[in-house]
Short mmCIF file of all heavy atoms in Angstrom, two decimals:
data_model
loop_
_atom_site.label_atom_id
_atom_site.label_comp_id
_atom_site.label_asym_id
_atom_site.label_seq_id
_atom_site.Cartn_x
_atom_site.Cartn_y
_atom_site.Cartn_z
N GLY I 44 125.30 100.65 105.74
CA GLY I 44 124.74 101.60 106.71
C GLY I 44 123.32 101.22 107.09
O GLY I 44 122.39 102.00 106.93
N PHE I 45 123.17 100.00 107.59
CA PHE I 45 121.83 99.50 107.91
C PHE I 45 121.52 99.72 109.39
O PHE I 45 122.42 99.64 110.23
CB PHE I 45 121.76 97.98 107.66
CG PHE I 45 121.71 97.57 106.21
CD1 PHE I 45 122.17 98.39 105.21
CD2 PHE I 45 121.18 96.34 105.88
CE1 PHE I 45 122.12 98.00 103.88
CE2 PHE I 45 121.12 95.93 104.55
CZ PHE I 45 121.59 96.77 103.55
N THR I 107 106.89 109.81 100.43
CA THR I 107 107.59 109.10 99.34
C THR I 107 107.91 107.67 99.76
O THR I 107 107.79 107.30 100.93
CB THR I 107 108.92 109.81 99.01
OG1 THR I 107 109.74 109.79 100.20
CG2 THR I 107 108.70 111.24 98.56
N SER I 108 108.34 106.90 98.78
CA SER I 108 108.81 105.53 99.07
C SER I 108 110.29 105.59 99.44
O SER I 108 111.16 105.21 98.66
CB SER I 108 108.58 104.63 97.86
OG SER I 108 107.22 104.59 97.54
N GLY I 109 110.58 106.13 100.59
CA GLY I 109 111.96 106.29 101.06
C GLY I 109 112.56 107.62 100.60
O GLY I 109 112.07 108.25 99.66
N ALA I 110 113.64 108.01 101.30
CA ALA I 110 114.32 109.26 100.93
C ALA I 110 114.93 109.14 99.54
O ALA I 110 115.01 110.12 98.80
CB ALA I 110 115.41 109.58 101.95
N ILE I 111 115.35 107.94 99.19
CA ILE I 111 115.98 107.79 97.87
C ILE I 111 114.98 108.14 96.78
O ILE I 111 115.34 108.73 95.76
CB ILE I 111 116.60 106.37 97.69
CG1 ILE I 111 117.48 106.30 96.45
CG2 ILE I 111 115.53 105.29 97.62
CD1 ILE I 111 118.73 107.08 96.52
N GLU I 112 113.71 107.84 97.01
CA GLU I 112 112.72 108.23 95.99
C GLU I 112 112.55 109.75 95.96
O GLU I 112 112.35 110.33 94.89
CB GLU I 112 111.36 107.56 96.21
CG GLU I 112 110.53 107.69 94.92
CD GLU I 112 109.04 107.78 95.12
OE1 GLU I 112 108.55 107.91 96.25
OE2 GLU I 112 108.34 107.73 94.08
N ALA I 113 112.63 110.39 97.13
CA ALA I 113 112.53 111.85 97.13
C ALA I 113 113.65 112.44 96.26
O ALA I 113 113.42 113.36 95.46
CB ALA I 113 112.60 112.39 98.56
N LEU I 114 114.86 111.87 96.37
CA LEU I 114 115.98 112.38 95.56
C LEU I 114 115.73 112.10 94.08
O LEU I 114 116.02 112.93 93.21
CB LEU I 114 117.30 111.74 96.00
CG LEU I 114 117.70 111.96 97.47
CD1 LEU I 114 119.04 111.30 97.76
CD2 LEU I 114 117.73 113.44 97.81
N THR I 134 130.05 111.87 99.81
CA THR I 134 128.60 111.93 100.04
C THR I 134 127.98 110.55 99.90
O THR I 134 128.66 109.57 99.60
CB THR I 134 127.94 112.94 99.08
OG1 THR I 134 126.59 113.17 99.51
CG2 THR I 134 127.89 112.40 97.64
N TYR I 135 126.67 110.50 100.09
CA TYR I 135 125.88 109.26 99.99
C TYR I 135 125.90 108.76 98.55
O TYR I 135 125.51 109.47 97.63
CB TYR I 135 124.47 109.60 100.48
CG TYR I 135 123.41 108.57 100.23
CD1 TYR I 135 123.60 107.22 100.54
CD2 TYR I 135 122.17 108.95 99.73
CE1 TYR I 135 122.59 106.30 100.32
CE2 TYR I 135 121.15 108.03 99.52
CZ TYR I 135 121.38 106.71 99.81
OH TYR I 135 120.38 105.79 99.59
N LEU I 136 126.35 107.53 98.40
CA LEU I 136 126.48 106.94 97.06
C LEU I 136 125.14 106.91 96.31
O LEU I 136 125.08 107.16 95.10
CB LEU I 136 127.03 105.51 97.22
CG LEU I 136 127.07 104.63 95.98
CD1 LEU I 136 127.93 105.24 94.90
CD2 LEU I 136 127.59 103.24 96.35
N GLY I 137 124.06 106.63 97.03
CA GLY I 137 122.74 106.56 96.39
C GLY I 137 122.37 107.89 95.73
O GLY I 137 121.71 107.92 94.69
N ALA I 138 122.81 109.00 96.34
CA ALA I 138 122.50 110.32 95.77
C ALA I 138 123.30 110.55 94.50
O ALA I 138 122.78 111.05 93.50
CB ALA I 138 122.79 111.42 96.80
N TYR I 178 123.21 119.44 97.03
CA TYR I 178 122.71 118.36 97.89
C TYR I 178 123.62 118.25 99.11
O TYR I 178 124.83 118.13 98.98
CB TYR I 178 122.73 117.05 97.09
CG TYR I 178 122.51 115.82 97.95
CD1 TYR I 178 121.25 115.50 98.45
CD2 TYR I 178 123.56 114.96 98.26
CE1 TYR I 178 121.04 114.38 99.23
CE2 TYR I 178 123.37 113.82 99.03
CZ TYR I 178 122.10 113.54 99.52
OH TYR I 178 121.90 112.42 100.29
N ILE I 180 123.91 116.66 103.37
CA ILE I 180 123.41 115.85 104.49
C ILE I 180 123.95 116.53 105.74
O ILE I 180 125.04 116.22 106.21
CB ILE I 180 123.94 114.40 104.40
CG1 ILE I 180 123.70 113.83 103.00
CG2 ILE I 180 123.29 113.50 105.48
CD1 ILE I 180 124.60 112.65 102.65
N HIS I 183 125.11 114.50 110.95
CA HIS I 183 125.72 113.17 111.11
C HIS I 183 125.84 112.50 109.75
O HIS I 183 125.32 111.42 109.49
CB HIS I 183 124.88 112.32 112.08
CG HIS I 183 124.33 113.10 113.23
ND1 HIS I 183 125.14 113.79 114.09
CD2 HIS I 183 123.05 113.35 113.64
CE1 HIS I 183 124.39 114.42 115.00
NE2 HIS I 183 123.13 114.17 114.74
N GLN I 184 126.56 113.16 108.90
CA GLN I 184 126.59 112.86 107.47
C GLN I 184 127.00 111.43 107.14
O GLN I 184 127.82 110.83 107.85
CB GLN I 184 127.60 113.84 106.84
CG GLN I 184 127.43 114.11 105.37
CD GLN I 184 128.57 113.54 104.55
OE1 GLN I 184 129.36 112.73 105.02
NE2 GLN I 184 128.66 113.98 103.31
N ASN I 185 126.43 110.92 106.08
CA ASN I 185 126.86 109.66 105.46
C ASN I 185 127.73 110.04 104.27
O ASN I 185 127.24 110.70 103.36
CB ASN I 185 125.63 108.87 104.97
CG ASN I 185 126.01 107.58 104.28
OD1 ASN I 185 127.17 107.19 104.26
ND2 ASN I 185 125.03 106.91 103.69
N PRO I 186 129.01 109.67 104.26
CA PRO I 186 129.68 108.70 105.10
C PRO I 186 130.59 109.30 106.18
O PRO I 186 131.21 108.53 106.91
CB PRO I 186 130.58 108.00 104.08
CG PRO I 186 131.01 109.12 103.17
CD PRO I 186 129.82 110.03 103.07
N ASP I 213 119.16 116.42 102.97
CA ASP I 213 118.84 115.03 103.33
C ASP I 213 119.03 114.86 104.83
O ASP I 213 120.15 115.00 105.35
CB ASP I 213 119.80 114.11 102.54
CG ASP I 213 119.50 112.63 102.74
OD1 ASP I 213 118.97 112.25 103.79
OD2 ASP I 213 119.84 111.85 101.82
N VAL I 214 117.93 114.58 105.53
CA VAL I 214 117.99 114.53 107.00
C VAL I 214 117.91 113.09 107.53
O VAL I 214 117.37 112.83 108.61
CB VAL I 214 116.88 115.40 107.65
CG1 VAL I 214 117.15 116.87 107.42
CG2 VAL I 214 115.49 115.02 107.13
N ALA I 215 118.49 112.16 106.77
CA ALA I 215 118.36 110.73 107.11
C ALA I 215 118.76 110.41 108.56
O ALA I 215 118.18 109.51 109.17
CB ALA I 215 119.19 109.89 106.14
N TYR I 216 119.74 111.11 109.11
CA TYR I 216 120.26 110.75 110.45
C TYR I 216 119.95 111.82 111.50
O TYR I 216 120.44 111.76 112.62
CB TYR I 216 121.78 110.48 110.38
CG TYR I 216 122.05 109.38 109.38
CD1 TYR I 216 122.34 109.68 108.04
CD2 TYR I 216 121.92 108.04 109.73
CE1 TYR I 216 122.52 108.67 107.10
CE2 TYR I 216 122.10 107.03 108.80
CZ TYR I 216 122.39 107.35 107.49
OH TYR I 216 122.55 106.35 106.56
N ALA I 240 114.58 116.07 102.14
CA ALA I 240 114.27 114.66 101.92
C ALA I 240 114.48 113.94 103.24
O ALA I 240 115.55 114.04 103.84
CB ALA I 240 115.19 114.08 100.85
N GLY I 241 113.46 113.23 103.69
CA GLY I 241 113.56 112.53 104.97
C GLY I 241 113.23 111.07 104.80
O GLY I 241 112.70 110.64 103.77
N THR I 242 113.55 110.29 105.82
CA THR I 242 113.28 108.85 105.76
C THR I 242 112.85 108.33 107.12
O THR I 242 113.27 108.87 108.16
CB THR I 242 114.54 108.07 105.32
OG1 THR I 242 114.23 106.67 105.34
CG2 THR I 242 115.74 108.31 106.22
N THR I 243 112.04 107.28 107.13
CA THR I 243 111.71 106.59 108.37
C THR I 243 112.57 105.33 108.52
O THR I 243 112.41 104.58 109.47
CB THR I 243 110.22 106.18 108.38
OG1 THR I 243 110.00 105.19 107.37
CG2 THR I 243 109.31 107.36 108.12
N SER I 244 113.50 105.13 107.57
CA SER I 244 114.27 103.87 107.56
C SER I 244 115.13 103.66 108.80
O SER I 244 115.35 102.54 109.22
CB SER I 244 115.19 103.82 106.33
OG SER I 244 114.44 103.68 105.16
N LYS I 245 115.64 104.75 109.37
CA LYS I 245 116.59 104.60 110.48
C LYS I 245 115.89 104.74 111.83
O LYS I 245 116.47 104.44 112.87
CB LYS I 245 117.71 105.65 110.38
CG LYS I 245 118.18 105.95 108.97
CD LYS I 245 118.94 104.82 108.33
CE LYS I 245 119.24 105.14 106.87
NZ LYS I 245 120.04 104.13 106.20
N PRO I 249 113.32 100.00 107.63
CA PRO I 249 113.39 100.24 106.18
C PRO I 249 112.49 99.32 105.37
O PRO I 249 112.25 99.59 104.19
CB PRO I 249 114.86 100.01 105.83
CG PRO I 249 115.48 99.35 106.99
CD PRO I 249 114.59 99.50 108.18
N ARG I 252 109.87 101.09 103.40
CA ARG I 252 110.26 102.03 102.35
C ARG I 252 109.41 103.31 102.41
O ARG I 252 108.55 103.53 101.55
CB ARG I 252 110.17 101.41 100.94
CG ARG I 252 110.85 100.10 100.73
CD ARG I 252 112.36 100.15 101.02
NE ARG I 252 113.09 101.10 100.19
CZ ARG I 252 113.81 102.09 100.69
NH1 ARG I 252 113.93 102.27 101.99
NH2 ARG I 252 114.46 102.90 99.89
N LEU I 253 109.66 104.13 103.40
CA LEU I 253 108.83 105.32 103.61
C LEU I 253 109.70 106.53 103.91
O LEU I 253 110.63 106.43 104.70
CB LEU I 253 107.92 105.04 104.81
CG LEU I 253 106.57 105.72 104.87
CD1 LEU I 253 105.69 105.29 103.71
CD2 LEU I 253 105.88 105.38 106.19
N GLY I 254 109.38 107.63 103.26
CA GLY I 254 110.11 108.86 103.53
C GLY I 254 109.24 110.05 103.20
O GLY I 254 108.02 109.92 103.05
N TRP I 255 109.86 111.23 103.06
CA TRP I 255 109.07 112.42 102.72
C TRP I 255 109.90 113.43 101.95
O TRP I 255 111.13 113.37 101.95
CB TRP I 255 108.48 113.07 103.98
CG TRP I 255 109.47 113.74 104.89
CD1 TRP I 255 109.92 115.03 104.82
CD2 TRP I 255 110.12 113.16 106.04
NE1 TRP I 255 110.80 115.28 105.86
CE2 TRP I 255 110.93 114.15 106.62
CE3 TRP I 255 110.07 111.89 106.64
CZ2 TRP I 255 111.71 113.92 107.75
CZ3 TRP I 255 110.85 111.66 107.77
CH2 TRP I 255 111.65 112.67 108.32
N PHE I 333 125.47 106.88 112.08
CA PHE I 333 125.98 105.52 111.92
C PHE I 333 127.47 105.44 111.56
O PHE I 333 127.99 104.33 111.44
CB PHE I 333 125.23 104.82 110.77
CG PHE I 333 123.80 104.44 111.05
CD1 PHE I 333 123.18 104.74 112.26
CD2 PHE I 333 123.06 103.75 110.10
CE1 PHE I 333 121.86 104.38 112.50
CE2 PHE I 333 121.74 103.38 110.34
CZ PHE I 333 121.14 103.69 111.52
N PHE I 334 128.15 106.58 111.31
CA PHE I 334 129.42 106.48 110.59
C PHE I 334 130.58 107.24 111.22
O PHE I 334 130.39 108.32 111.78
CB PHE I 334 129.26 107.03 109.16
CG PHE I 334 128.07 106.47 108.43
CD1 PHE I 334 126.93 107.24 108.25
CD2 PHE I 334 128.07 105.17 107.97
CE1 PHE I 334 125.82 106.72 107.60
CE2 PHE I 334 126.97 104.63 107.32
CZ PHE I 334 125.84 105.41 107.13
N ARG I 376 134.99 104.10 104.86
CA ARG I 376 133.86 104.38 105.74
C ARG I 376 133.68 103.24 106.71
O ARG I 376 133.65 102.07 106.31
CB ARG I 376 132.56 104.55 104.95
CG ARG I 376 131.39 104.97 105.85
CD ARG I 376 130.07 104.99 105.12
NE ARG I 376 129.55 103.66 104.90
CZ ARG I 376 128.37 103.40 104.33
NH1 ARG I 376 127.60 104.39 103.92
NH2 ARG I 376 127.96 102.15 104.14
C1 PLP H 401 122.06 110.01 103.53
C2 PLP H 401 121.05 108.98 103.17
N1 PLP H 401 119.96 109.35 102.51
C3 PLP H 401 119.02 108.46 102.17
C4 PLP H 401 119.16 107.13 102.48
C5 PLP H 401 118.12 106.14 102.02
O1 PLP H 401 116.94 106.31 102.70
P1 PLP H 401 115.69 105.43 102.33
O2 PLP H 401 115.89 104.08 102.95
O3 PLP H 401 114.55 106.16 102.92
O4 PLP H 401 115.59 105.38 100.84
C6 PLP H 401 120.27 106.70 103.17
C7 PLP H 401 120.42 105.26 103.50
O5 PLP H 401 121.45 104.72 103.64
C8 PLP H 401 121.24 107.64 103.51
O6 PLP H 401 122.36 107.28 104.16
#
Side-chain angles (χ1 to χ4, degrees):
F45 286 23
T107 61
S108 300
I111 191 68
E112 196 211 8
L114 301 182
T134 191
Y135 168 48
L136 172 60
Y178 168 74
I180 310 159
H183 322 302
Q184 203 248 14
N185 178 7
D213 185 332
V214 291
Y216 303 93
T242 177
T243 66
S244 290
K245 323 290 174 177
R252 309 301 300 122
L253 209 63
W255 69 87
F333 288 2
F334 311 105
R376 185 187 75 177

